[in-house]
Amino acid sequence: MAPRVVVLISGTGSNLQALIDAIAAGSLKAEIPLVISNRSKVFGLERAEKAGIPTKVLALKPYTTAGKSRIQYDADLAQLIVAAKPDLVVLAGFMHILSPTFLDQFPTTPLINLHPALPGQFDGARAIERAFEAYQKGEIKHTGVMVHRVIQEVDGGEPLLVEQVEIKPEDDLAALQDRIHSVEHVLLVRGAALVLEQEAAKKCNSTSA
Ligand code: GRF
């Protein structure tokens, strides 16, 4: 049975599409049993539906409106994911800061995140814009993309794959965004494959021990 990858999104889902395409092409040996978005009506949900993948929308707003806590949201989100029995959880442009309540539900299941910057640079939102501004000020010469393990600290977990991305003097923000997204689409698939291989090796070692 192919390993199960649950994907969390918030937006256009081009990185989700990269995973879907890699699975369809046979280069990523996995299946996606569920895509969860914290925003309704985003294009990523359409991409999932088109690929025949079940989707769920779980937004924070109804919780806060009803006076429920963020912790409750995180607990419900974790429950949705756990019910899908994932071997790997991929945060693909998922714009929500996860609490320990969430992370505690995954003591053994790996979680990875994609971030459009190099480790330790431009953590958090608007990373590409901030890198572009820093380049204009002469503070950096290049930027990058990383796939890293998810910990409580935003974009702070152990980097699994890191790739430098060139910034050209003639770039406008859109050109840099396009270059970064092309790198992301490759790196996320490689990151997912790497972690699934590591997990398979662990299982193999524990059964042969
Ligand atoms: C990506 O750049 C990701 O790194 C960022 O949000 C963007 C999501 O893009 N944090 P998409 O929804 O996968 O197209």
Side-chain angles (χ1 to χ4, degrees), residues 139-157:
E139 293 168 0
I140 57 167
K141 294 210 179 315
H142 54 256
T143 183
V145 169
M146 68 168 161
V147 173
H148 65 91
R149 289 191 189 275
V150 176
I151 58 166
Q152 231 256 286
E153 192 190 326
V154 176
D155 302 321

Side-chain angles (χ1 to χ4, degrees), residues 81-157:
I81 300 170
V82 169
K85 300 189 172 33
D87 296 293
L88 169 66
V89 180
V90 175
L91 276 51
F94 184 61
M95 304 303 283
H96 172 80
I97 297 175
L98 296 162
S99 64
T101 306
F102 176 89
L103 296 171
D104 288 351
Q105 301 309 309
F106 301 96
T108 55
T109 309
L111 287 90
I112 61 171
N113 181 45
L114 175 69
H115 185 59
L118 293 171
Q121 286 191 340
F122 313 113
D123 292 346
R126 296 184 60 256
I128 306 176
E129 287 89 333
R130 283 152 60 214
F132 185 69
E133 286 159 18
Y135 176 82
Q136 304 300 324
K137 290 187 204 149
E139 293 168 0
I140 57 167
K141 294 210 179 315
H142 54 256
T143 183
V145 169
M146 68 168 161
V147 173
H148 65 91
R149 289 191 189 275
V150 176
I151 58 166
Q152 231 256 286
E153 192 190 326
V154 176
D155 302 321

